[in-house]
Amino acid sequence: MPAMSRPLISRRAEPLTGRAKVPGDKSISHRALMFGALAVGESRIEGLLEGDDVLRTAQAMRALGAEVEKLEDGSWRLWGRGVGGLMEPADLLDLGNSGTGARLMMGLVATHPFTTFFTGDASLRSRPMKRVSEPLSRMGAKFVTREGGRLPAAVVGTTNPVPITYELPVASAQVKSAILLAGLNTPGETTVIEREATRDHTELMLRHFGANVTTTIREDGARVVTVTGFPELTGRTVIVPADPSSAAFPLVAALVVPGSTVTLVGIGMNPLRTGLFQTLREMGADIRTDNPRIEGGEEVADLVVTSSALRGVDVPAERAPSMIDEYPILAVAASFAAGTTRMFGLSELRVKESDRFTATMNGLRACGVEVEAEGDTLIVHGKGAPPPGGATIAVNLDHRIAMSFLVMGMAAAQPVAVDDAEAVDTSFPGFVELMNGLGSAIEGN
Ligand code: S3P
């Protein structure tokens, strides 16, 4: 039986004020669970995102033989199996809505000598997996997938893994990570070359657990990332920073709701994740960085955001990997700005939890915003005033589309509704409570 839908409506907000801590980083949370399961001995995770995507990964790591439990103090404890020590799961792994969970785990099991069956929800079952099955096949794994390389899929792990050097055809941290994780249980050196830098949480955290991972810059600027096989990973503590991709929603809300000042604490500031903050500042956003510090090997800071008059800018394609999940909410910000915002190089947006390129364009148009698409460029014509709003947006199992348009409703002339906000829990459980605590007016519709 499909879950009941959760329609919500967002009306004009009071000025947003206060301090808030958004949930833990989704990318880091998935990796902490996976690497803890591969390490010898006990690992602890503090600040884990307890969203549906990550809980599915926790469940999958249990199915692969690791001990994973939540402790009374809210932290998580893992007892890992050592590199190469994962066990054949007795049943399908259902990764729900999570591309990160599915793709990284395919890498993990590709070089273990057993067969794993993967599935997910309707969104995940529609997403391309060839981008991982292709390089992992070169390492020796076999894949049986549905038409177009889609889930459900069986991964027949290899007993004789071959190290590869692979140049990424798309800028994707998930693909990079899948190959590096397969490389852990492979003799010799496995190398991924990326022309555009993508988030490097896998590299940073593998080093934290004791693996030998090197990153060098080639003459042409490409990054060459190499992992040495059969490392002795040992249990560690991981402190998960607050997710900058989740912070994006209250942050843009505070910018567009007049009279707001909001402090967002402990936000991850990994430079490969902060493209949105840079872009918004170029648009004239007042975002102050307070207390920059290193926590658990990652840069974090508090962000103090004050509502600002925004202006349109050009966002270069090179910046896309550092803000790939933030375009829907940036497009919402751009529709309040004076002048045109052009976002280049958005082809990857079409293969996220939904086709976010089309969803963003259609949603903004339904809210009375003038939008154009030219190939992979999305062009938003802002009027420097609140857009009309007054629409109901189809979410199509996409958490970021739901949250983006709920933010739109906080400052648009008319309320904005979403047909089903259930997906929000994949990355941001407690979103409505947190936002309403700051002054928004989101309620059941
Ligand atoms: C992620 C990488 C990105 C991003 C996703 C999380 C990760 O996907 O969109 O939300 O944790 O590695 P791609 O690798 O497909 O760009």
Side-chain angles (χ1 to χ4, degrees):
M1 274 259 298
M4 295 254 290
S5 66
R6 183 161 34 124
L8 291 178
I9 185 159
S10 176
R11 302 175 198 282
R12 258 193 120 91
E14 299 292 319
L16 304 175
T17 52
R19 282 167 76 80
K21 175 137 196 176
V22 303
D25 189 280
K26 182 158 72 70
S27 294
I28 295 176
S29 295
H30 281 295
R31 287 159 172 82
L33 288 167
M34 291 185 202
F35 302 175
L38 279 188
V40 174
E42 183 175 291
S43 289
R44 284 294 181 94
I45 310 173
E46 287 171 27
L48 187 81
L49 166 63
E50 295 177 7
D52 190 61
D53 274 18
V54 173
L55 296 177
R56 299 267 178 168
T57 289
Q59 193 52 35
M61 297 328 293
R62 283 189 195 109
L64 287 159
E67 273 177 42
V68 185
E69 59 173 349
K70 185 173 177 182
L71 302 180
E72 266 171 23
D73 67 1
S75 70
W76 287 67
R77 174 191 163 277
L78 283 105
W79 192 263
R81 302 201 50 93
V83 169
L86 298 179
M87 292 173 7
E88 181 180 87
D91 201 349
L92 275 173
L93 299 186
D94 182 348
L95 278 312
N97 192 248
S98 181
T100 309
R103 295 198 179 113
L104 268 60
M105 228 171 284
M106 285 181 163
L108 273 185
V109 299
T111 52
H112 279 74
F114 52 74
T115 298
T116 313
F117 296 87
F118 287 89
T119 192
D121 70 6
S123 156
L124 186 58
R125 281 184 274 113
S126 73
R127 297 181 66 184
M129 294 296 157
K130 265 194 193 140
R131 50 180 63 199
V132 284
S133 62
E134 208 277 318
L136 296 173
S137 302
R138 293 195 200 184
M139 299 180 79
K142 292 200 164 54
F143 289 79
V144 183
T145 69
R146 277 198 312 135
E147 176 74 29
R150 291 170 211 271
L151 299 187
V155 183
V156 184
T158 174
T159 43
N160 262 324
V162 184
I164 58 169
T165 295
Y166 189 75
E167 187 152 343
L168 293 181
V170 283
S172 166
Q174 293 177 359
V175 179
K176 169 176 67 176
S177 302
I179 299 166
L180 294 175
L181 296 185
L184 290 173
N185 200 33
T186 300
E189 293 188 336
T190 297
T191 297
V192 181
I193 300 169
E194 48 179 12
R195 264 165 283 149
E196 293 159 289
T198 65
R199 64 191 69 193
D200 60 353
H201 305 302
T202 296
E203 297 91 305
L204 293 177
M205 205 188 295
L206 277 179
R207 284 184 200 123
H208 179 61
F209 276 87
N212 180 19
V213 182
T214 59
T215 304
T216 56
I217 310 293
R218 214 166 59 175
E219 267 172 19
D220 63 356
R223 288 157 78 97
V224 180
V225 186
T226 298
V227 64
T228 306
F230 306 139
E232 177 82 356
L233 301 186
T234 37
R236 290 279 190 262
T237 296
V238 177
I239 301 167
V240 182
D243 196 326
S245 298
S246 297
F249 301 104
L251 190 146
V252 168
L255 289 174
V256 298
V257 175
S260 301
T261 298
V262 166
T263 302
L264 300 166
V265 295
I267 307 300
M269 296 294 285
N270 181 311
L272 295 169
R273 295 287 299 280
T274 50
L276 175 75
F277 306 149
Q278 182 186 351
T279 303
L280 289 170
R281 283 186 174 124
E282 290 170 6
M283 295 172 80
D286 180 351
I287 306 171
R288 199 176 77 220
T289 306
D290 273 3
N291 298 319
R293 54 202 186 268
I294 304 281
E295 266 178 24
E298 292 271 0
E299 296 175 35
V300 300
D302 305 334
L303 297 178
V304 184
V305 193
T306 305
S307 38
S308 309
L310 302 176
R311 51 183 181 273
V313 293
D314 279 358
V315 189
E318 308 83 78
R319 202 178 290 166
S322 70
M323 54 178 298
I324 193 64
D325 292 334
E326 281 69 78
Y327 283 100
I329 189 64
L330 174 65
V332 167
S335 61
F336 287 82
T340 297
T341 296
R342 295 188 298 169
M343 296 163 251
F344 296 94
L346 301 194
S347 57
E348 278 295 297
L349 240 52
R350 298 188 191 276
V351 291
K352 292 296 174 187
E353 284 82 333
S354 72
D355 174 353
R356 283 186 183 154
F357 192 97
T358 305
T360 302
M361 189 170 65
N362 290 347
L364 291 182
R365 282 184 180 153
C367 290
V369 181
E370 208 187 310
V371 191
E372 288 170 78
E374 277 175 17
D376 293 333
T377 306
L378 188 65
I379 304 165
V380 176
H381 299 287
K383 289 216 162 54
T392 297
I393 307 299
V395 168
N396 288 322
L397 295 174
D398 193 324
H399 52 134
R400 299 199 201 279
I401 294 297
M403 289 186 278
S404 295
F405 283 97
L406 290 169
V407 169
M408 168 70 98
M410 293 173 200
Q414 296 296 323
V416 176
V418 298
D419 66 345
D420 185 7
E422 200 57 40
V424 166
D425 290 349
T426 64
S427 69
F428 201 150
F431 170 76
V432 173
E433 296 73 12
L434 183 145
M435 289 307 316
N436 285 352
L438 294 172
S440 72
I442 306 174
E443 58 184 27
N445 193 21

